[in-house]
Amino acid sequence: MKGFFRFITDVLIPVMDVYDDDPIRKTAVEYKNLIAIQQHRPSMRSIYSSLEQEWAEDQERMVAPAAMKHVLEVAQQACSEESAPPEKKAADKEAKEGEKPPEVEDPLAEFGEEGRLSFEQLEMMTQVFDEALATVTSKRPEPPETLGLYFWEFFEMVMHLARAPVGQEGLGEVHDIIPALVATMQTAVSLVEKGVIELPALYEDEEAEPEAPVA
């Protein structure tokens, strides 16, 4: 394994610096980022499998970009101070007034736990999501909003999103953000499976589904 990483750092990265202008590939092979990717790739695959949906008749299951963006937006809203349900806000108000608040369970509170993305990180990711999607799917003939993401495209989206907060003070580097992004999406998947989060419909108009390719 050490020999593999030495090859990456001593041979591959210098070559890519000269001949490869893809920022995602360059980011992915940086030593600390590569370790984070290798450690969390099985979790990324599991998240992908949990979010994938039947895309069209006789086509394989893929992840809808709208579903990926939706869970990030839900997480962002959950991390916002204004996101608490009315019952919890009332309980917090009672606590401030010196009364013992009733126990109010917020199923989305897990998004705010340690090791997950912050509101600021999520905000930056949702802001760049559409642009990243257009970049990742630029060679696909379908419009971005009508296609499903293959796993390698899903992985590229993860890398684009992980790069978004970099450079902002206190928001971490890519190798810090990848584990937090994975943990946040694992939380989302768990809540989808529990019925707390509902994924958006694949198509607004059932009759407008993309046609399966002709053999």
Side-chain angles (χ1 to χ4, degrees):
M1 183 60 73
K2 289 183 179 179
F4 172 71
F5 283 123
R6 184 178 296 277
F7 169 77
I8 292 290
T9 56
D10 294 349
V11 179
L12 185 58
I13 291 178
V15 170
M16 292 179 70
D17 285 340
V18 176
Y19 297 105
D20 193 341
D21 60 355
D22 189 316
I24 295 302
R25 282 195 290 268
K26 287 184 176 181
T27 298
V29 298
E30 290 179 14
Y31 182 71
K32 290 184 178 180
N33 299 342
L34 187 60
I35 291 175
I37 291 168
Q38 291 297 324
Q39 289 176 337
H40 295 281
R41 183 180 177 86
S43 296
M44 293 183 202
R45 173 64 74 174
S46 177
I47 292 167
Y48 179 87
S49 298
S50 297
L51 292 179
E52 64 184 2
Q53 296 165 279
E54 195 71 48
W55 195 248
E57 187 176 358
D58 297 328
Q59 282 190 308
E60 62 186 293
R61 294 168 62 85
M62 293 182 283
V63 170
M68 188 177 185
K69 185 177 184 180
H70 178 66
V71 296
L72 293 174
E73 290 174 334
V74 171
Q76 178 186 345
Q77 179 63 21
C79 291
S80 170
E81 292 181 359
E82 291 76 29
S83 67
E87 296 84 357
K88 189 174 188 305
K89 289 182 180 179
D92 291 343
K93 183 178 179 181
E94 290 181 15
K96 290 179 182 178
E97 294 173 351
E99 299 179 17
K100 184 177 179 179
E103 292 292 331
V104 178
E105 182 178 351
D106 180 3
L108 301 180
E110 191 176 345
F111 282 118
E113 293 182 1
E114 186 177 356
R116 291 162 179 78
L117 295 170
S118 68
F119 172 83
E120 292 77 13
Q121 289 171 325
L122 285 159
E123 183 177 41
M124 299 195 72
M125 290 181 185
T126 55
Q127 287 174 352
V128 304
F129 189 95
D130 291 343
E131 181 180 353
L133 177 63
T135 299
V136 168
T137 61
S138 61
K139 295 182 180 180
R140 300 274 296 274
E142 312 95 325
E145 65 274 10
T146 66
L147 53 76
L149 296 175
Y150 293 101
F151 177 73
W152 63 85
E153 293 170 327
F154 175 84
F155 171 76
E156 284 193 50
M157 286 297 298
V158 169
M159 292 302 300
H160 276 283
L161 297 175
R163 281 165 50 90
V166 173
Q168 303 298 316
E169 186 176 356
L171 297 189
E173 299 297 329
V174 170
H175 62 270
D176 302 311
I177 296 170
I178 287 174
L181 176 54
V182 168
T184 294
M185 296 199 73
Q186 285 176 321
T187 297
V189 165
S190 174
L191 294 175
V192 168
E193 292 173 347
K194 293 176 182 177
V196 176
I197 298 176
E198 183 177 350
L199 296 180
L202 282 177
Y203 317 106
E204 293 182 4
D205 181 357
E206 289 293 333
E207 296 182 357
E209 293 185 5
E211 295 181 0
V214 178

